[in-house]
Amino acid sequence: MASKASSTRRGAIPRGMSDSQFDRLLSVSARMALVVVGSLALVVALGLGKVILAPISLAVIVGLMFGPLADFLERRGRVPPALSAVVVVVVFVGVLGVATAMFAAPLSEWISRGPAIWAKLQGQLAGLKAPLETLMAVQDQLKSTFGNDATMTVDVAGGGPVQDIALMAPNVLADLLLFLGGLYFFLATRHSIRVAVLSLCFSRRTRWRAAHVFRDVEHKISRFLFWATVINLGVGILTALATWALGMPSPLLWGALAMVMNFIPYIGQAVMYVLLLAVGLGTEPTFIAALLPVLAYGIVNFLADQFVFPHFVGRVLTLNPFMIFASVAFWLWLWGPMGAFIAVPSLLILQSLILHTFPTTRAIPERTIRKAEEKAAAAEVALEAAREAKVEAAEVKAEAVEAKAEADTTPAPAKPAKPAKRAPRRVAVASR
């Protein structure tokens, strides 16, 4: 029976692979399968727990941002953590209330002007009627060609924006209460949470790594969000000044929207471009005048992203743009707008966990990478030169061997005969 099992196992092993290599392949495949299944289960759990997890996660991110302020109040003001958490929450709610009161009136005005702007947009887009009719003709021809004559009807039923707002109000209020409660309890118990997590680490080295993860996460997120808020505030102010100079109504509203949308990289900025273009087309008489606010916002945003943000935040916190876009798209799909705000902080948390879990993985400065690339290029050039010199030497040696072989096979020319030496003449001396 054992011999039959071993023969079956040996038949399953690919040719050219030993038993140890096959066992290692099975082990790696099993681990990868566990990682994939665990990741899918985590995504499903996050999607199902969106109602509770989304506002609490946002509260943790904001709490990490305001953690240094709470530490300052506890250290300088000699107040307990519960009181410092109350102060931070009250300040946050006050700022949020003032911003809502300032921009509620112009926002409601623009919402009421939405149908008129849409009608004007339809009038300006009437020039695209001929291309659209051509496209519809092509679509009808394709339908007749493939035998699909079914028509699609869309029935839109709704009670208007007032009813939609009334239906959304309980959900928004519940999310706001969960967010404020999570923010308060996180700020009030952040030290005990850290101590509880560190107490779960049995070895000293693991406890040291966990402490560094806590410190690195709080430092990175607080620094990133603080400077992001300052820079986005500057973007909002410059956008408001630009729209005011260009004669657009409600410039403060566009500045506030520019500030908020800049917290969502790429996608929020794209939404801002579309909003400014739509409002410009709906309010300005010419296309050039409608395009000027979009260009002004683009210039301000380009300067902030390419020069101001890297200078103040630093290259260490500069993440891969593709990873940022993928994170924003993932969290936006999973949790909606609330998830888009935690996309970049979640990447920073993941980066800190990886850097301190795998100590060999560390952030390498660009100057070091450039020097290493230059050294590798110089070494490759030297290796190529040495290889060419070796090939040339081999060719020269081969030519010398070939010439020697030809010389050995060629008969040597006959040497001329040397003249015979004359014997010395002996002179007989007569005896006297």
Side-chain angles (χ1 to χ4, degrees):
M1 192 71 177
S3 62
K4 184 177 180 180
S6 63
S7 63
T8 304
R9 172 183 172 84
R10 187 170 298 279
I13 298 176
R15 293 183 178 179
M17 183 179 293
S18 62
D19 292 343
S20 60
Q21 292 176 346
F22 186 69
D23 292 337
R24 191 180 301 112
L25 178 62
L26 288 179
S27 176
V28 172
S29 301
R31 292 177 183 176
M32 291 298 296
L34 286 176
V35 170
V36 171
V37 172
S39 301
L40 292 177
L42 178 61
V43 171
V44 172
L46 290 174
L48 294 176
K50 170 186 174 181
V51 178
I52 297 177
L53 294 178
I56 292 180
S57 300
L58 185 60
V60 171
I61 297 299
V62 176
L64 290 174
M65 175 184 175
F66 286 100
L69 177 59
D71 292 337
F72 176 79
L73 292 175
E74 295 169 8
R75 185 172 57 253
R76 296 297 179 89
R78 305 286 184 178
V79 296
L83 185 57
S84 65
V86 170
V87 172
V88 172
V89 171
V90 169
V91 171
F92 185 81
V93 171
V95 172
L96 191 63
V98 170
T100 304
M102 286 179 61
F103 302 110
L107 185 60
S108 61
E109 180 183 355
W110 279 102
I111 291 175
S112 63
R113 292 175 59 181
I117 295 175
W118 175 244
K120 190 172 182 180
L121 278 175
Q122 287 179 337
Q124 292 189 358
L125 296 176
L128 299 176
K129 185 177 181 181
L132 289 176
E133 289 178 354
T134 305
L135 184 61
M136 293 298 293
V138 173
Q139 183 181 2
D140 294 337
Q141 186 177 0
L142 290 175
K143 285 182 179 180
S144 62
T145 302
F146 291 102
N148 187 10
D149 297 332
T151 58
M152 182 179 66
T153 59
V154 180
D155 187 12
V156 180
V162 177
Q163 184 177 353
D164 295 338
I165 294 174
L167 293 176
M168 289 174 58
N171 296 330
V172 174
L173 182 61
D175 290 340
L176 182 61
L177 290 177
L178 282 174
F179 168 75
L180 294 177
L183 179 61
Y184 168 75
F185 285 109
F186 176 78
L187 289 173
T189 61
R190 65 189 187 282
H191 300 300
S192 59
I193 291 174
R194 181 180 303 177
V195 171
V197 173
L198 292 179
S199 64
L200 296 176
C201 303
F202 298 101
S203 64
R204 183 178 180 181
R205 186 175 184 82
T206 307
R207 195 178 302 113
W208 178 82
R209 289 184 180 178
H212 277 71
V213 167
F214 274 107
R215 186 185 64 184
D216 196 24
V217 165
E218 186 172 3
H219 171 72
K220 282 186 176 180
I221 292 183
S222 60
R223 181 182 175 186
F224 174 81
L225 291 179
F226 172 76
W227 283 112
T229 303
V230 173
I231 294 170
N232 292 340
L233 179 62
V235 170
I237 292 173
L238 292 178
T239 303
L241 291 176
T243 52
W244 171 77
L246 294 172
M248 285 189 66
S250 305
L252 291 178
L253 177 63
W254 308 122
L257 286 177
M259 175 184 172
V260 174
M261 289 298 177
N262 254 32
F263 281 99
I264 306 175
Y266 306 124
I267 297 178
Q269 297 162 3
V271 171
M272 194 65 195
Y273 283 124
V274 173
L275 284 176
L276 288 176
L277 182 60
V279 172
L281 290 174
T283 56
E284 299 295 334
T286 61
F287 180 76
I288 300 299
L291 199 61
L292 287 178
V294 180
L295 293 176
Y297 173 73
I299 293 172
V300 171
N301 200 21
F302 176 78
L303 293 176
D305 287 343
Q306 299 298 324
F307 298 100
V308 181
F309 193 83
H311 176 72
F312 285 98
V313 177
R315 297 290 180 181
V316 178
L317 295 182
T318 303
L319 301 171
N320 191 336
F322 174 75
M323 297 300 297
I324 294 175
F325 179 79
S327 178
V328 171
F330 171 76
W331 288 107
L332 189 63
W333 165 74
L334 192 64
W335 285 351
M338 196 178 300
F341 282 101
I342 68 171
V344 178
S346 65
L347 274 183
L348 292 175
I349 294 174
L350 182 62
Q351 184 188 39
S352 298
L353 287 173
I354 292 175
L355 290 178
H356 292 285
T357 304
F358 305 99
T360 56
T361 305
R362 56 183 179 179
I364 303 176
E366 290 187 9
R367 185 179 301 174
T368 305
I369 296 176
R370 195 179 301 112
K371 288 183 178 179
E373 291 177 351
E374 292 176 356
K375 288 182 180 179
E380 186 176 356
V381 170
L383 182 62
E384 188 67 24
R387 192 176 301 162
E388 292 178 357
K390 187 176 181 180
V391 170
E392 291 178 358
E395 291 177 354
V396 171
K397 186 177 180 181
E399 291 177 356
V401 171
E402 186 178 356
K404 184 178 180 181
E406 291 179 355
D408 292 339
T409 56
T410 304
K415 296 181 179 180
K418 294 181 178 180
K421 294 182 178 180
R422 294 181 180 181
R425 182 178 296 177
R426 295 181 179 179
V427 179
V429 178
S431 60
R432 294 180 180 179

